[in-house]
Amino acid sequence: FIPFKDFIFWCIAIIFFTTFVFSILGVFIGVKFGNYFSFKFELVGGVILIFIGTKILIEDLFFNLML
């Protein structure tokens, strides 16, 4: 029924392998550098989330006039 069954399998396998490798690398890098920079990264992440939330709030309150 599916004409390219093998092709789809290999595409899924490549996506799985790539995702797996990058996830493992991210965990190792996070463990290695997390002890050194944990407070700084948490602070920067929090500030970024506050800016994103503020941007969304301002856009919805003042620039969403289409409704």
Side-chain angles (χ1 to χ4, degrees):
F1 182 72
I2 300 174
F4 299 108
K5 192 181 236 182
D6 292 334
F7 179 72
I8 291 172
F9 171 76
W10 285 111
C11 289
I12 292 170
I14 290 170
I15 292 169
F16 167 77
F17 180 74
T18 306
T19 304
F20 181 76
V21 168
F22 279 110
S23 296
I24 294 297
L25 284 174
V27 168
F28 284 136
I29 291 170
V31 168
K32 182 154 180 88
F33 292 110
N35 295 332
Y36 298 117
F37 303 111
S38 64
F39 179 72
K40 293 177 186 175
F41 285 157
E42 288 179 11
L43 184 65
V44 170
V47 169
I48 289 172
L49 287 175
I50 290 172
F51 281 137
I52 290 172
T54 306
K55 177 184 175 284
I56 292 171
L57 179 67
I58 290 172
E59 286 177 352
D60 284 344
L61 288 178
F62 300 112
F63 298 111
N64 196 2
L65 302 175
M66 300 299 282
L67 298 175

